[in-house]
Amino acid sequence: MATFREIGEFGFIERIGAAGLPRAAGVYCGIGDDCAVLACENHRVRLITSDLMVEGVHFVAEGSEPHWLGHKLLAVNLSDIAAMGGEPREAVVSLAIPPDLDVGFMERVYRGLRELASRYGVNVVGGDTARSTGPLVMNLTLTGEMDPERVCYRSGANPGDLIYVSGTLGDAAAGLKLAPGEAVGLSEQDREFLLCRHHRPEPRVVLGRALAASGAVTAMLDLSDGMASDLRHICRQSGVSAVIDGATIPVSPAFRRFRELSGAGTRNLAITGGEDYELLFTVAQRGRDVVEALAAGTEISCIGRIVKGDGRIFLENARGLKTELDARGFEHFSGSPAP
Amino acid sequence: MATFREIGEFGFIERIGAAGLPRAAGVYCGIGDDCAVLACENHRVRLITSDLMVEGVHFVAEGSEPHWLGHKLLAVNLSDIAAMGGEPREAVVSLAIPPDLDVGFMERVYRGLRELASRYGVNVVGGDTARSTGPLVMNLTLTGEMDPERVCYRSGANPGDLIYVSGTLGDAAAGLKLAPGEAVGLSEQDREFLLCRHHRPEPRVVLGRALAASGAVTAMLDLSDGMASDLRHICRQSGVSAVIDGATIPVSPAFRRFRELSGAGTRNLAITGGEDYELLFTVAQRGRDVVEALAAGTEISCIGRIVKGDGRIFLENARGLKTELDARGFEHFSGSPAP
C-alpha cells in the first residue's frame, strides 16, 4: 500500500496515464501537456483543460476576497490554454459547497469569474453543484480552439534553443508568504503588488496566441508549480537538458526588496516558487528576432538555453559554474513549496 | 445573508444562471438542461456536461467498491449525454484526494472508469489532481456530439404528449436504504439487485441516441433527483403540467418486495427516489408507434400525459382521482431524499 502523500501528484499521473485510449484517432495529445488536443472539423483542434481549487490547499476562505477566487479559478485554466497558444471558448464549473456557506460569497466568486470570462470571450455554459462535507472545492473545465499546425507542446525543445519566460518570477510565491510578521519593513505598495500577483494572476492569453502564431516557439508551458519543476517537464518530454543563467531570471523590484528583508528560505523563490502563471517557452536561434519583436509590448526574458541531455536542469552563475537543480517546485501532496 | 442549506441547489442555479454570455452566437443552450449545446463545424453540435461526486454525500469510501465509484462517476455523465440523444466523446477528471488515501484505491476507481469508457468509446484525456483537506471529491466533465436537428431539450413538451420512462424506478433509492436491519426478510438476490442498481447505474446511451434519431421525442432528461422532481423541470421549461397514472409506474419485482418489507417511508420511493439514471421523455401521440417499435429490446413504459398548465404534477389513481405531487425528490443541500 502506498499513499498519495508518498507518491505525489506526478507519481499518480504516471500510473494512470499509462493506459491507452479507446479512440486514439483524432487525439493529438491526451494526458501530459497543459491541455488535451483533439481533432475537430475544418482543420481546427479543440483544447480541453481542467483545474481544481481546494479550500485550505489553494486558498483560505476566511479573509479571501471571493471576487478574486473566481478570477483565479478561471485564470489558471486560461493560462493552460495560453500555454498551447489557443483561443479560449467555453467553461463549465463544478462546486462542492459547505451547506452553511453564505450564498453572497459564491455570488461574488461568480462575479469575479464572469468579469474575467467576458474579457476573454469565455462562455460559462453549465456545471454541477453539490454539498461538501468538508472544504469548498471548485473545479473549472475550459475548452479552446486553434490551428493544429500552431499548437505549442511541451515536447518540441531542441539543443541550442533559447529559453524564455514572460513577466517576473517569484512574486506570487512571495505574496503567499506575506503573513503578518514576514518581511517586516516592506512598503505597503510592495506588499500590495506581491499579494496581487498571488491572488489575481493575469493569464498570458494574448501573448500565448501571438507566440504560437509566430511559428518560432518550439515548446511552451505555463508556470504553475515553479520554474525549475515546470522546465523539467519540457526537458523530460523533449529529451533534453537545460542550463539557466541565474543572473538573468527576471524579478520585480518588489520581489527584490521582499527577498532582502526575508530569511534565507526565500533566496530561491524565483526559481522554485509556484503560481507564477507566466509562460515559459523555447525558441530556435533563428526565431529569436521574431519573438523579441513580437513581445515588444510584453516583457519577456531569455534565461538560458537547451542542451543535449536527459532531463536535467543546471543553474549557471556569473563565473560559468554549473550546479544541478534539485528543485521540486510546489508538490501538492506534501503541501508546501520546496525550500 | 442566506446559506446554501436555505436556498438549495436550484435556488443558486437560478441566481447565477440569470447573467448573460459574452459570445451568445453559437450557444444553442447554456445553463438549464442536461448538457450545454454548442455549435461546431459541419452541422454538428458539441455537448458538454459535468458531474461531481463528494465522499460522505454521494458515496461512503469505507466499504465502497472503488471500481464501481469510477464506473458511476462516468455513468452519471454519460446519462446526461444520453438525455440529449448524443454520442459521448472525451472526458477530463479532476480529483481532490486526502493525502493518506491508498493509491490502489484510486487506481481501482480509474479501472472502473476506464472499463465503462472503453465500452462507449470515451477517451479520458486529462484532468487535475490536488490534495483535499477533507473528503475525496471527484469531478468528471464529458463532451459529446450530435446532429443539431436531433437534440432533445427539456423544453419541447406539448399538451397531449405521452410521458415515458425507461427501465424501472426506485431501485437505486431502495439500494441506498439497504443498511443492515432494513427490509428484514429480503432475499440475497433481491438485495444484490437493488444494491447493484444503486452502485452500477447503466447509462441509457444507446436508447437515448435511438430516441433522438427517431425524431419522435419532444422533450427528454435523465432521472437523477427523482422522477417527480425531474419531470417538474420538463413541465416548467415547456410551460405545461403533467398527469401521472400511479398504477403504470414501472417497478422491479425486487423493489416491490422491498417495499412490502419496509416501512411506510418507502411507499413513494419510485416517484421521489433519486439516482435512477433512467430516461424520462415525452412523445407526441403520432410518434407513439415509432417509439414503441424502436424500444422493443429495451423496456419503456408510458406513465402519463402532458396537459395544459403551469408546471404542476398530478398523480392519478385507478378511480381517476388526482392529487398534486409536492415531491421535491433529492435535494443536495438538505442532504436527504424527500419522504
Side-chain angles (χ1 to χ4, degrees):
Chain A
M1 169 170 156
T3 67
F4 280 86
R5 200 188 295 279
E6 288 156 13
I7 70 161
E9 182 182 7
F10 300 122
F12 180 61
I13 294 171
E14 247 170 57
R15 291 193 190 197
I16 60 168
L21 299 170
R23 279 184 302 104
V27 180
Y28 286 69
C29 175
I31 292 168
D33 215 303
D34 293 286
C35 297
V37 183
L38 310 161
C40 74
E41 288 78 13
N42 292 1
H43 303 292
R44 300 278 284 173
V45 284
R46 278 187 296 136
L47 309 173
I48 186 161
T49 186
S50 226
D51 263 301
L52 266 182
M53 282 172 59
V54 181
E55 181 185 348
V57 178
H58 301 88
F59 66 94
V60 187
E62 270 317 299
S64 283
E65 177 47 62
H67 189 94
W68 297 120
L69 291 180
H71 171 101
K72 190 162 180 176
L73 179 64
L74 178 56
V76 301
N77 281 285
L78 283 168
S79 186
D80 283 320
I81 298 285
M84 311 302 286
E87 180 184 343
R89 305 295 289 175
E90 272 85 34
V92 289
V93 180
S94 290
L95 304 166
I97 304 176
D100 292 319
L101 188 70
D102 175 19
V103 176
F105 182 96
M106 284 310 301
E107 286 183 314
R108 292 200 295 281
V109 168
Y110 257 81
R111 264 204 295 281
L113 198 163
R114 277 184 195 285
E115 253 179 49
L116 187 62
S118 68
R119 274 173 48 207
Y120 288 104
V122 169
N123 285 328
V124 182
V125 292
D128 190 22
T129 305
R131 181 165 57 97
S132 172
T133 52
L136 172 62
V137 178
M138 306 191 284
N139 184 75
L140 192 144
T141 303
L142 184 63
T143 68
E145 269 187 41
M146 68 184 299
D147 176 347
E149 305 293 314
R150 294 305 186 197
V151 181
C152 299
Y153 297 99
R154 294 175 173 182
S155 54
N158 298 302
D161 287 0
L162 300 168
I163 303 169
Y164 284 84
V165 290
S166 62
T168 54
L169 306 188
D171 299 328
L176 182 63
K177 285 185 174 287
L178 273 183
E182 276 281 336
V184 173
L186 197 68
S187 72
E188 268 313 301
Q189 205 179 344
D190 284 349
R191 201 172 277 271
E192 175 66 22
F193 172 83
L194 297 173
L195 283 172
C196 187
R197 291 276 287 163
H198 176 66
H199 291 301
R200 316 178 199 175
E202 189 58 44
R204 298 286 192 176
V205 177
V206 175
L207 178 62
R209 290 179 65 182
L211 288 169
S214 78
V217 168
T218 53
M220 183 154 66
L221 51 58
D222 74 316
L223 297 177
S224 57
D225 294 338
M227 190 268 281
S229 169
D230 290 323
L231 175 55
R232 206 171 294 269
H233 295 307
I234 284 190
C235 288
R236 288 196 179 153
Q237 291 175 231
S238 301
V240 296
S241 285
V243 180
I244 297 297
D245 176 356
T248 60
I249 292 170
V251 294
S252 65
F255 178 81
R256 201 172 295 119
R257 290 188 285 267
F258 164 84
R259 201 168 47 183
E260 282 158 15
L261 293 165
S262 307
T266 65
R267 204 164 44 92
N268 290 326
L269 217 52
I271 296 172
T272 61
E275 304 206 293
D276 290 313
Y277 298 110
E278 295 291 350
L279 295 176
L280 184 147
F281 53 99
T282 58
V283 175
Q285 291 278 356
R286 67 177 179 285
R288 178 172 206 155
D289 293 346
V290 174
V291 161
E292 296 198 351
L294 167 147
T298 322
E299 284 174 291
I300 63 166
S301 311
C302 181
I303 62 165
R305 58 190 191 279
I306 296 294
V307 295
K308 281 186 191 169
D310 56 353
R312 298 200 286 172
I313 299 170
F314 300 93
L315 190 64
E316 192 174 41
N317 70 10
R319 287 168 296 157
L321 273 177
K322 290 192 195 76
T323 48
E324 187 173 349
L325 270 185
D326 182 30
R328 292 168 303 133
F330 190 85
E331 181 26 88
H332 290 288
F333 285 96
S334 70
S336 61
Chain B
M1 167 169 160
T3 66
F4 280 86
R5 199 190 294 280
E6 288 156 13
I7 70 160
E9 181 182 9
F10 300 122
F12 181 61
I13 293 170
E14 249 171 54
R15 289 193 191 198
I16 60 170
L21 299 169
R23 280 184 302 102
V27 181
Y28 287 68
C29 174
I31 294 167
D33 215 304
D34 294 286
C35 297
V37 184
L38 310 161
C40 76
E41 288 79 13
N42 292 2
H43 303 291
R44 299 278 284 173
V45 284
R46 279 187 294 136
L47 308 174
I48 186 161
T49 185
S50 225
D51 262 300
L52 271 180
M53 280 171 59
V54 181
E55 181 186 348
V57 178
H58 301 88
F59 66 94
V60 186
E62 271 314 301
S64 281
E65 176 48 60
H67 189 93
W68 297 120
L69 291 180
H71 170 100
K72 190 163 180 176
L73 179 65
L74 179 55
V76 300
N77 280 284
L78 282 168
S79 186
D80 283 322
I81 298 285
M84 311 303 284
E87 182 183 341
R89 306 294 290 175
E90 271 86 35
V92 289
V93 180
S94 289
L95 303 168
I97 304 176
D100 292 320
L101 187 71
D102 175 20
V103 175
F105 182 95
M106 283 311 300
E107 288 183 313
R108 292 200 295 281
V109 168
Y110 257 82
R111 264 206 294 283
L113 197 163
R114 276 186 195 286
E115 254 179 49
L116 187 61
S118 68
R119 276 171 47 205
Y120 288 104
V122 170
N123 283 328
V124 181
V125 291
D128 190 21
T129 306
R131 181 166 57 98
S132 173
T133 53
L136 172 63
V137 179
M138 306 191 282
N139 184 73
L140 192 144
T141 303
L142 184 62
T143 67
E145 271 187 39
M146 67 183 302
D147 176 348
E149 306 293 315
R150 295 304 186 196
V151 181
C152 299
Y153 297 99
R154 295 175 172 182
S155 54
N158 298 302
D161 286 0
L162 300 168
I163 303 168
Y164 283 83
V165 291
S166 63
T168 55
L169 305 188
D171 299 328
L176 180 64
K177 284 185 174 286
L178 273 184
E182 276 280 336
V184 173
L186 197 67
S187 73
E188 268 314 301
Q189 205 180 343
D190 283 350
R191 201 171 278 270
E192 175 65 23
F193 172 83
L194 296 174
L195 284 171
C196 188
R197 291 276 287 164
H198 175 66
H199 292 299
R200 317 177 199 175
E202 190 57 43
R204 297 286 192 176
V205 177
V206 176
L207 178 63
R209 289 180 66 183
L211 288 169
S214 77
V217 168
T218 53
M220 182 152 68
L221 51 58
D222 75 315
L223 296 176
S224 58
D225 294 337
M227 189 268 282
S229 169
D230 290 324
L231 174 55
R232 207 171 295 269
H233 296 308
I234 285 190
C235 287
R236 287 195 180 154
Q237 290 174 233
S238 302
V240 296
S241 286
V243 179
I244 297 295
D245 176 356
T248 60
I249 293 170
V251 294
S252 66
F255 178 82
R256 201 172 293 121
R257 290 188 284 267
F258 164 84
R259 199 168 48 182
E260 281 158 15
L261 293 166
S262 306
T266 64
R267 205 162 44 92
N268 290 325
L269 216 53
I271 295 171
T272 61
E275 304 205 292
D276 289 314
Y277 298 110
E278 296 291 348
L279 297 174
L280 183 148
F281 53 99
T282 58
V283 175
Q285 290 279 355
R286 66 177 180 284
R288 177 173 207 156
D289 293 347
V290 174
V291 161
E292 296 199 350
L294 166 147
T298 323
E299 285 174 290
I300 63 167
S301 310
C302 181
I303 62 165
R305 61 191 189 278
I306 296 294
V307 294
K308 283 187 189 167
D310 56 352
R312 299 199 285 172
I313 298 170
F314 300 92
L315 190 64
E316 191 175 43
N317 70 10
R319 286 168 298 156
L321 274 177
K322 290 193 194 75
T323 48
E324 187 173 348
L325 269 184
D326 181 32
R328 291 168 304 133
F330 189 85
E331 187 14 275
H332 290 288
F333 285 96
S334 70
S336 60

